Amino acid sequence: MTNMDNNSIIGAPSQDELYQLFAPPTEVKPEEALSVGKELEKSLLNKYNNLFDVYSTAELQSAFTFAEDYKSFLDHAKTEREAVYTSIKLLNNLGFSDIRSKEQLLPGDKVYRSIHNKGLMAAVIGEDKAKAGFNILGAHVDSPRFDLKPNPIYEEAEMVFLKTHYYGGVKKYQWTAVPLALHGFAVRADGTSVKIAIGDDENDPVFMLTDLLIHLSKDQMTKTAAEVVTGEELNLLIGGRPVPHKDVSERFKVGFLMILKEKYGLSERDIVSAEIQVVPSDKARDLGFDRSFIAAYGHDDRVCAYPALRAVAAQEKSKRTVMLMLTDKEEVGSQGNTGAQSQEYETFMAEVYAKTEGGYDELGFLMALENSAMLSTDVVNGYDPNFASTMDIRNNSMMGHGVCLQKYTGSRGKSGASDANAEFLAKVVHLLDEYKIPWQTGELGKVDQGGGGTISQYAANRGIEVLDCGVPVLNMHAPQEIVHKLDLYATHQAYRCFIENM
Ligand code: MN
Ligand code: MN
């Protein structure tokens, strides 16, 4: 037996050791030799299985029920504002209240704080001192989309358009010639505000970014995919009815402005400050004859945000304080006062610390951060056999194999990577194994094929132990993305297990 003491350094096996280890099974009968071989295979190889072969009938039922809840959440959370609003509604129903309404916090208390209505922190206070650290789940709730420019409205060729600016990493051509909806928030001249959501109800009109007909696309078809439609060509068609007064200049644009004023109380000037987003129309749908998958807009990263929200919302009493972090602006670098780099997320942690410890001391709080454990709950790329040449099949998450633990992110030579420490990753793996929660591992595609990052690095910079951990996705950042229902469920199980037992 090899010496397994901590910190032991182990060299190569000697010739004698190798001779013994690889001695052929000559002493046993052929049938037994086979079973010894199978035993070797079972004990030595690391295999990840499809969860349809792993889950019991009851677990499969729970997974499919959870998927229905998730689909309904998605339909109410097409923007970061809607995701935060819907999450707060769920938390309020479960007895959470705004942390600012509390003078002190006791074990079992449930609190949250909205981060400018576009991010959210929530916590359930544990029995341990805050100094012992927090168990945190952190996701983002913004998704790639098209925003309206500050001066978006114009008419041309007797049609009304809105100028857009893409947000996050998109293949622009994927967003043309598909029905789109408008979701947003605007402040009127009198200071009152209005929420807008048009294009998802079957009786609603939809909007569209036009594409060139194939008949005239001789030149367009020779362009690279990045240029086949350009940013300035992505103008949203929203109307074509003029006001009846012939003496008005821009009669078609004024026709739209009339509707805007009448229906929403907004003027062209109010649109300058508004946040209005162009997102795919339609609701989340089952995909496949056997309904194994969900097709929807915005799985990245609501497919991790939702199971994280449900995991924290379900806590009554835990040993350590558990926290939920839903952030904005991840798709553009996590900056700004609603992005994960914002001080405000940490201010909430400091407030939890101060209100449980009976006061704030900086060193104590910094130690609490060092003692904290976090899953950066963001999606990973599922293996797509149609694009096999871009992925390393031995190191890529597979659809239906469960939650993916991603040790590191980044691109090229792991540039910009957040890299979980081996000790921490091992702890998470052992925990999931102990509770028999299926997991897999993977990294983002082949070396030098691309890459990406998450919010993990910003938490890691503060001393928190962080691991990237989330749901595999196909078609990532396309108007419709695909996830596997059993991966979603395994992810929820993993998140709950982590915050309850880490
Ligand atoms: Mn993401
Ligand atoms: Mn993304």
Side-chain angles (χ1 to χ4, degrees):
M1 190 64 196
T2 318
N3 181 1
M4 290 297 200
D5 284 353
N6 264 347
N7 302 319
S8 61
I9 297 173
I10 302 164
S14 67
Q15 280 296 359
D16 280 355
E17 282 174 317
L18 287 172
Y19 185 74
Q20 279 180 26
L21 206 54
F22 285 88
T26 47
E27 304 299 310
V28 286
K29 293 184 209 130
E31 319 84 70
E32 287 175 42
L34 185 71
S35 79
V36 172
K38 280 281 166 221
E39 197 50 49
L40 263 182
E41 194 180 300
K42 208 177 140 202
S43 65
L44 292 181
L45 293 177
N46 180 26
K47 288 246 168 75
Y48 307 104
N49 299 308
N50 190 293
L51 299 189
F52 277 110
D53 295 329
V54 172
Y55 277 150
S56 66
T57 310
E59 281 173 315
L60 288 177
Q61 238 155 29
S62 303
F64 277 73
T65 304
F66 192 85
E68 290 307 306
D69 296 346
Y70 168 58
K71 276 157 51 186
S72 155
F73 175 81
L74 269 186
D75 293 341
H76 292 95
K78 284 202 153 181
T79 66
E80 61 277 358
R81 281 181 188 272
E82 291 174 359
V84 166
Y85 177 79
T86 308
S87 301
I88 289 179
K89 221 162 100 176
L90 186 142
L91 293 177
N92 277 332
N93 286 340
L94 292 169
F96 283 72
S97 51
D98 193 316
I99 191 170
R100 296 282 153 93
S101 69
K102 300 254 186 188
E103 284 303 316
Q104 61 161 347
L105 294 170
L106 299 167
D109 279 353
K110 304 169 175 187
V111 288
Y112 66 82
R113 180 82 190 152
S114 159
I115 310 289
H116 301 281
N117 303 315
K118 290 149 80 170
L120 179 67
M121 287 296 288
V124 179
I125 308 306
E127 278 152 18
D128 284 358
K129 303 282 283 177
K131 207 171 274 185
F134 316 122
N135 289 348
I136 309 164
L137 299 173
H140 68 91
V141 287
D142 61 317
S143 295
R145 60 178 191 248
F146 286 76
D147 291 339
L148 297 194
K149 289 191 181 190
N151 289 316
I153 314 158
Y154 70 98
E155 71 168 73
E156 198 164 352
E158 302 183 345
M159 291 183 276
V160 188
F161 293 92
L162 298 176
K163 292 209 67 71
T164 68
H165 196 135
Y166 69 102
Y167 172 94
V170 294
K171 293 181 177 178
K172 298 186 191 79
Y173 66 83
Q174 291 182 328
W175 296 70
T176 63
V178 294
L180 298 166
L182 282 171
H183 285 241
F185 170 85
V187 182
R188 302 188 185 99
D190 65 4
T192 58
S193 60
V194 57
K195 287 178 192 163
I196 296 161
I198 313 157
D200 294 310
D201 188 273
E202 60 181 350
N203 297 313
D204 278 355
V206 294
F207 312 97
M208 203 169 283
L209 300 164
T210 59
D211 194 3
L212 181 62
L213 63 165
I214 183 69
H215 315 71
L216 298 179
S217 294
K218 185 167 96 44
D219 294 342
Q220 189 196 35
M221 296 301 276
T222 64
K223 292 182 183 171
T224 63
E227 294 163 340
V228 72
V229 283
T230 62
E232 292 297 342
E233 286 166 345
L234 291 168
N235 302 311
L236 193 71
L237 179 60
I238 58 156
R241 182 166 183 169
V243 289
H245 321 285
K246 296 270 165 46
D247 57 336
V248 175
S249 68
E250 302 184 276
R251 292 171 63 221
F252 291 82
K253 175 174 170 176
V254 170
F256 165 65
L257 289 175
M258 205 170 67
I259 297 170
L260 196 65
K261 189 80 201 169
E262 180 65 26
K263 182 85 183 160
Y264 309 99
L266 293 168
S267 67
E268 185 176 22
R269 214 173 172 82
D270 298 333
I271 298 299
V272 173
S273 59
E275 290 177 354
I276 299 175
Q277 309 179 0
V278 184
V279 296
S281 166
D282 212 353
K283 297 181 186 328
R285 308 279 287 269
D286 286 346
L287 189 153
F289 285 103
D290 51 25
R291 300 181 182 273
S292 295
F293 304 96
I294 304 169
Y297 164 67
H299 283 313
D300 178 7
D301 178 35
R302 291 152 200 157
V303 75
C304 297
Y306 183 70
L309 168 72
R310 283 279 300 266
V312 171
Q315 299 306 308
E316 286 301 335
K317 224 166 200 179
S318 56
K319 199 162 146 22
R320 276 153 69 88
T321 292
V322 304
M323 282 191 187
L324 172 74
M325 179 176 181
L326 299 183
T327 74
D328 178 30
K329 294 284 183 285
E330 194 278 341
E331 297 295 356
V332 292
S334 294
Q335 66 278 37
N337 68 3
T338 59
Q341 297 188 67
S342 165
Q343 177 63 45
E344 293 188 33
Y345 294 93
E346 200 174 301
T347 301
F348 175 87
M349 297 183 194
E351 193 170 348
V352 165
Y353 179 90
K355 288 180 174 174
T356 51
E357 295 280 344
Y360 179 76
D361 71 291
E362 192 176 3
L363 185 60
F365 176 63
L366 293 177
M367 285 175 176
L369 292 182
E370 277 183 27
N371 292 331
S372 293
M374 173 167 165
L375 293 181
S376 162
T377 59
D378 205 344
V379 296
V380 300
N381 72 311
Y383 182 77
D384 186 340
N386 296 310
F387 301 98
S389 67
T390 64
M391 303 171 201
D392 169 13
I393 194 168
R394 293 179 184 83
N395 285 285
N396 207 101
S397 67
M398 304 293 282
M399 300 301 282
H401 283 201
V403 64
C404 178
L405 313 183
Q406 202 168 21
K407 186 176 187 300
Y408 50 84
T409 56
S411 51
R412 302 183 304 281
K414 296 194 180 179
S415 183
S418 181
D419 198 343
N421 295 318
E423 294 89 338
F424 182 62
L425 178 50
K427 235 169 130 175
V428 175
V429 164
H430 295 162
L431 186 67
L432 297 182
D433 282 347
E434 185 188 338
Y435 285 86
K436 300 204 172 348
I437 292 164
W439 58 270
Q440 58 177 325
T441 187
E443 69 168 84
L444 184 47
K446 271 189 179 167
V447 174
D448 286 339
Q449 194 56 237
T454 66
I455 64 167
S456 54
Q457 53 185 311
Y458 309 114
N461 287 347
R462 300 298 291 159
I464 300 171
E465 292 277 15
V466 194
L467 171 67
D468 280 293
C469 170
V471 178
V473 173
L474 300 181
N475 292 358
M476 200 187 292
H477 286 202
Q480 294 277 312
E481 302 174 314
I482 300 167
V483 298
H484 194 293
K485 288 182 182 174
L486 301 188
D487 292 334
L488 167 66
Y489 188 65
T491 299
H492 177 60
Q493 287 182 311
Y495 292 173
R496 269 198 81 154
C497 179
F498 178 85
I499 54 171
E500 288 171 6
N501 304 299
M502 199 62 188

